[in-house]
Amino acid sequence: MTTVENDADVIVVGAGPGGSATAYHLAQHGLRVLLLEKTEFPREKVCGDGLTPRAVKQLIKLGVDTSPEAGWLHNKGLRVIGGGVRLELDWPELASFPNYGLVRTRLDFDDLVAKRAVAAGAELRTGVNVTGPVLDATGRAIGVAAEVGPGKELTTFHAPLMVAADGVSGRFPLALGLAKREDRPIGVAVRRYYRSPARHDDRYLESWLELRSREGGDKLLPGYGWIFGMGDGRVNAGLGVLNSSSAFGKTNYRRLLTDWLANTPDDWGLNDDANADGPILGAALPMGFNRVPHYTRGVMLVGDSGGMVNPFNGEGIAYAMESGELAAEVAVQALARPAGVERERALAHYPTELKSRYGGYYRLGGVFVKLIGNPQIMRIATKHGMPHPLLMRFVLKLLANLTDPRGGDAMDRIINAMTRVAPSV
């Protein structure tokens, strides 16, 4: 057997929020970490400018200054619009999570989190396009193959453990034969920035449960929408469509967005392409563990690579960072053991713990996705649910996964009990 000199204790593929959080926590524990990113920072990403308190908690763990003075726009909660009702719901007051959300462009955000990983001791290499794993004779990953720099020089890097955090495309796990599961929810989201002095500093993230077009007599459009201020003179306006909708895969989503925004008030500036700041961009939202197993043959999956987007609200960044923290904790314990059976036993704890934390909740989310994909059910739920603020506060806690795990109020106890009794996905 040939002895390979390792370049790191752990190689992390992808320096998005999940990969950078993983690298940060690994480095904090004293491991040698190589963080490989195919692009250069700063770089644009489509979704994730609006962060719930769940994501804020992870940023605080990374030592990020989330103050307005550091360039963050704080928000107080969620404004829900539907069924002829406009309801403002503040983020809940909890022991486990802060009571504010944040807004920042991914252009700044991903760069900032990657820098926290570097400050903790991780080595970041940009311009490194990982093409697949390097396997030993048993089929276990012992490194990665990559094209490096503008000349695409073929290079290999070696480590006893790899973390795939390469996003929804999941090229690295695909190279291991880990395809997406077709029986799990998936969504498509499109968004565009608009200059909007009237809305840019809004203190609420705005969610539209009904989208209507002026054309065709105020007809109802598929999907759900959002509008929230960026604090810099612009807003982020977008919409999502789930695969439980009959319109999924059969709709021009960019046209859908402009049809809906054409029906918004003139003073917002969203119904005029002259106010647009950049093109309409789209991304897929891989939900409910749509790629498994989350550990196999020396590779752990983190974030979108493992389909960890919340089916209830499309949030991915919080779960990417949480799974990165968990992956780091498991990796530290595993690498302290001898290679072989003992180490594999420790690594097997990662998918088990992920299932324990999120499996029941994601199962409920899958049911929710199927229900709201039916326009009739969505219309009834909106009409009868929206006029009841107490019920909607419960819905906010459920959709944003914001409860205190122990103690808490009656809503927390009901939601926690529901997720415990639901069979894991």
Side-chain angles (χ1 to χ4, degrees):
M1 180 177 173
T2 305
T3 302
V4 175
E5 183 177 344
N6 289 320
D7 297 279
D9 296 317
V10 183
I11 293 173
V12 181
V13 180
S20 292
T22 309
Y24 172 89
H25 290 292
L26 287 167
Q28 283 284 93
H29 286 291
L31 295 187
R32 291 185 304 138
V33 187
L34 189 56
L35 179 59
L36 304 179
E37 167 60 37
K38 66 180 178 181
T39 63
E40 302 289 341
F41 285 108
R43 52 111 164 94
E44 182 70 283
K45 278 287 189 76
V46 176
C47 291
D49 292 349
L51 305 173
T52 72
R54 197 168 187 104
V56 177
K57 179 177 181 176
Q58 291 302 309
L59 289 176
I60 292 169
K61 284 189 177 185
L62 267 60
V64 173
D65 178 0
T66 62
S67 68
E69 293 74 21
W72 298 91
L73 179 66
H74 284 220
N75 58 69
K76 297 169 61 176
L78 188 67
R79 181 183 301 115
V80 186
I81 296 173
V85 177
R86 179 179 181 272
L87 189 63
E88 290 184 347
L89 301 165
D90 287 356
W91 298 120
E93 299 286 344
L94 299 168
S96 303
F97 298 97
N99 66 350
Y100 63 95
L102 296 169
V103 173
R104 193 165 187 138
T105 67
R106 291 293 299 274
L107 188 70
D108 290 328
F109 179 83
D110 287 20
D111 189 23
L112 186 151
V113 180
K115 284 175 178 172
R116 292 302 303 152
V118 171
E123 181 187 352
L124 172 64
R125 297 276 299 272
T126 56
V128 178
N129 181 25
V130 174
T131 56
V134 175
L135 305 176
D136 66 11
T138 69
R140 190 181 195 281
I142 57 170
V144 303
E147 298 170 342
V148 179
K152 296 186 176 181
E153 181 184 345
L154 297 178
T155 308
T156 58
F157 303 95
H158 294 89
L161 186 62
M162 262 55 62
V163 173
D166 52 346
V168 62
S169 64
R171 289 174 59 196
F172 195 77
L174 275 174
L176 283 169
L178 303 182
K180 295 175 188 172
R181 291 187 54 155
E182 300 300 325
D183 61 338
R184 299 290 160 85
I186 192 163
V188 170
V190 295
R191 71 103 173 102
R192 193 181 208 179
Y193 294 125
Y194 287 86
R195 290 179 290 276
S196 177
R199 295 295 310 270
H200 83 102
D201 58 354
D202 193 348
R203 297 299 301 277
Y204 286 87
L205 303 177
E206 193 167 88
S207 178
W208 290 58
L209 304 183
E210 294 175 339
L211 308 180
R212 296 189 178 275
S213 168
R214 276 183 184 162
E215 296 179 17
D218 194 34
K219 71 174 181 180
L220 193 63
L221 301 169
Y224 61 92
W226 65 81
I227 299 169
F228 57 84
M230 301 300 298
D232 60 2
R234 300 179 301 163
V235 300
N236 178 321
L239 60 82
V241 178
L242 300 164
N243 64 347
S244 57
S245 168
S246 60
F248 187 82
K250 306 172 187 173
T251 302
N252 182 330
Y253 301 114
R254 289 165 174 79
R255 173 68 188 276
L256 191 65
L257 179 64
T258 55
D259 281 355
W260 165 48
L261 294 178
N263 209 19
T264 57
D266 291 343
D267 63 331
W268 293 4
L270 310 183
N271 54 11
D272 185 350
D273 276 358
N275 294 324
D277 185 30
I280 299 173
L281 299 176
L285 303 175
M287 300 175 172
F289 291 160
N290 80 335
R291 185 181 279 116
V292 291
H294 290 120
Y295 170 72
T296 184
R297 296 155 55 200
V299 179
M300 309 170 87
L301 309 188
V302 158
D304 286 7
S305 184
M308 297 184 198
V309 172
N310 181 348
F312 281 107
N313 68 354
E315 180 178 20
I317 286 178
Y319 300 93
M321 297 176 78
E322 287 179 14
S323 61
E325 182 184 16
L326 174 61
E329 291 172 0
V330 171
V332 167
Q333 294 298 324
L335 292 174
R337 302 183 181 192
V341 175
E342 284 191 56
R343 183 175 293 175
E344 293 303 309
R345 186 180 296 119
L347 289 166
H349 178 63
Y350 177 62
T352 301
E353 181 62 21
L354 281 175
K355 198 170 184 179
S356 173
R357 289 188 186 187
Y358 308 123
Y361 179 76
Y362 283 174
R363 172 74 72 179
L364 293 175
V367 174
F368 174 79
V369 164
K370 288 177 182 175
L371 288 174
I372 67 170
N374 183 322
Q376 189 173 355
I377 292 175
M378 186 64 174
R379 195 174 296 117
I380 292 170
T382 302
K383 179 181 177 182
H384 295 286
M386 283 288 291
H388 300 283
L390 186 64
L391 174 61
M392 293 306 294
R393 281 196 289 274
F394 175 86
V395 171
L396 175 67
K397 281 193 167 192
L398 176 64
L399 267 58
N401 199 8
L402 293 173
T403 63
D404 279 325
R406 293 175 185 82
D409 61 16
M411 293 182 188
D412 292 3
R413 291 192 290 274
I414 292 169
I415 292 170
N416 295 338
M418 288 167 59
T419 59
R420 281 196 301 271
V421 300
S424 292
V425 292

